Amino acid sequence: MAAAETNFKELLEAMPDPVVIVEDGQIVLANREAEKKFGYSHDALLGQPIEVLLPERFRTVHVGHRQGYERNPHTRPMGIGLELFARRRDGTEFPVEISLSPSESDGHKLVISIIRDISDRKRLEREKDELLATVTHVLDGMTEPVFVVNPQGDVTRANDAAARMIGRPREEILGRPAREVFHWEDAGGRLLDDDEYLYHETFGSVEPLSVSGRYLRRLDGERIPVVISSAPVTDPEQGIRMAVQVVRDVTREREAEELKDRIISLVSHELRTPIGHIKGFASSLLEEDVTWDAETQHDFIVEIDHEADRLATLVADLLDMSKIESGKDFLEIAHHSPLAIVESALRAAERFTREHEVKVDVDPALPDVPADASQLERVICNLVENAAKYTEPNTEIRVQARRGGDAVEFSVSDHGPGIPLEYRDRIFERFFRIKTGNGGRKPGTGLGLPICRGIVEAHGGKLWYESNGGGGSVFRFTIPL
Ligand code: ADP
């Protein structure tokens, strides 16, 4: 059998991992690799209890385990689910994986243990965990929603911003088909079909893709304009492709664009029209070969005066708007009687309201309000001017003031067409004008209502729209006492 033993020893030496063979808890054979790994000189392990290879804290327990194994020997990995450690001669430790197999030879009951040093694997795992934690951290710190879709179309990762954008907790997103999680729509509000979801194209592409003009419909019904970029990513190990999608909420850009359009339309209309008229009348008056009678000359000059006023109003509105938006305190507060303010506002609005019936309903016993009188007059004058501008002649405009809790509540109501539901918030946006209906043809800047609201809010009050029972509008605002 000497040849067989030699063969066995050679085989042992050829093993890349440390191998020790144990009988009754004592090491009877160890390969060079084991000696090297554990820091022992040649044959120094022979005759030692196997426990010398264990950290001291595990030794007692190990004796029990070992005896259990000897009663029921079979091939198995050791300490399933536990982190195992081995001890070098100098007392240092390293993580290991051990597999045990029993072997009978000439009546000797042997246990062969193959001990694999898994320090490298552990380190890699740790590094991977750290990397993953960092990536998750970075993703969650991003303000832009990011999510990952696998080739089956399921969402495998989503950052905090993505969950916030959709309005669902992350647990409800992960592992679900992207199509159920994200409701993309086109500009017209149509839900996109499965094949329009960008990730399909992404899997077939090498370059990142990007689409705009899409909308996300949130769970709460809100529609957000977005630009989606989608990049294909290949996992070098598994070759699995995934699509990393970054969603950018472009609401602000949209608003800025809309605002720009409105300003352009304002400048092209509200600025050009009066200038054109002024130029036209002035040129006519200057024509040398025509003589205008005194009445016509007067009419022309009235028109010029009128158009110049229009321009002056526009410029004043623009300046006021920027003053209000600067957030600086522009009010000069003193105590004023509500009735006096209403009367003064109506005098200023008189030239607009000649064809209307204006009714005043102000309780003379109201306390004085702390306010900037000229600004408050401006608010009322503006609301009354609108009430006259957007309603038929000979209809009634009513200006009221009454006590409402800790405030005085003013209102201007009319019997005009009212404001359609969809515009009731938007009329308070800068430069917003309703283009449909007769009102669309009236001159205006779309700055009146935002300025009014700005002034009222600077006083600590609120201004809002209500529809007027049988038709028409009510603009109501409060000035706290
Ligand atoms: P402007 O009058 O210069 O257009 P405003 O900010 O004062 O700007 O008003 C915004 C829009 O709200 C107007 O263009 C008009 O369509 C609508 N609006 C305002 N007041 C009334 C009203 N009393 N009745 C009907 N529509 C109104």
Side-chain angles (χ1 to χ4, degrees), residues 36 134 142 154 167 192 371 467:
K36 216 163 78 195
T134 312
M142 283 176 68
D154 299 327
L192 295 189
S467 69

Side-chain angles (χ1 to χ4, degrees), residues 161-287:
R164 265 199 309 275
M165 177 185 69
I166 305 167
R168 281 185 183 193
R170 210 189 319 222
E171 308 84 76
E172 286 182 22
I173 300 174
L174 297 184
R176 297 202 32 206
R179 202 177 139 59
E180 281 173 25
V181 174
F182 299 93
H183 291 247
W184 302 125
E185 292 181 357
D186 66 9
R190 182 184 59 88
L191 197 64
L192 295 189
D193 282 333
D194 201 34
D195 56 3
E196 291 169 282
Y197 273 56
L198 203 56
Y199 50 81
H200 286 300
E201 283 166 62
T202 311
F203 294 128
S205 153
V206 264
E207 299 272 298
L209 309 168
S210 169
V211 278
S212 53
R214 300 237 158 138
Y215 293 80
L216 177 87
R217 177 74 70 182
R218 279 169 53 105
L219 219 53
D220 59 12
E222 201 191 325
R223 214 166 103 94
I224 307 172
V226 291
V227 171
I228 310 169
S229 353
S230 185
V233 175
T234 313
D235 181 322
E237 264 171 52
Q238 305 176 47
I240 295 175
R241 308 214 90 197
M242 50 190 169
V244 178
Q245 304 207 321
V246 182
V247 182
R248 204 154 53 82
D249 177 344
V250 290
T251 310
R252 281 181 170 280
E253 282 101 314
R254 271 298 153 78
E255 280 171 0
E257 245 165 65
E258 259 183 48
L259 190 64
K260 194 185 75 193
D261 289 349
R262 283 189 226 148
I263 294 173
I264 290 171
S265 114
L266 171 83
V267 168
S268 63
H269 192 259
E270 285 308 303
L271 215 59
R272 253 168 67 182
T273 315
I275 291 172
H277 284 176
I278 291 171
K279 173 74 185 155
F281 288 118
S283 302
S284 305
L285 285 172
L286 288 172
E287 264 176 49

Side-chain angles (χ1 to χ4, degrees), residues 85-118:
F85 291 91
R87 180 185 192 273
R88 292 191 195 88
R89 194 191 166 132
D90 63 8
T92 55
E93 296 180 12
F94 57 98
V96 289
E97 215 168 59
I98 299 173
S99 65
L100 301 175
S101 29
S103 161
E104 282 241 22
S105 151
D106 297 338
H108 296 277
K109 282 192 169 161
L110 304 176
V111 179
I112 305 174
S113 346
I114 304 174
I115 303 160
R116 172 164 297 163
D117 179 352
I118 55 170

Side-chain angles (χ1 to χ4, degrees), residues 326-346:
S326 76
K328 286 199 204 101
D329 184 11
F330 57 93
L331 300 177
E332 285 175 30
I333 303 282
H335 280 81
H336 301 279
S337 120
L339 185 61
I341 290 178
V342 168
E343 282 173 342
S344 159
L346 287 177

Side-chain angles (χ1 to χ4, degrees), residues 386 389-390 414 419 427 432-434 444-446 448-450 473 475:
N386 275 354
K389 187 159 72 168
Y390 297 110
D414 65 47
I419 311 269
I427 50 173
F432 183 82
R433 309 199 67 216
I434 302 173
T445 59
L449 289 174
S473 310
F475 286 91

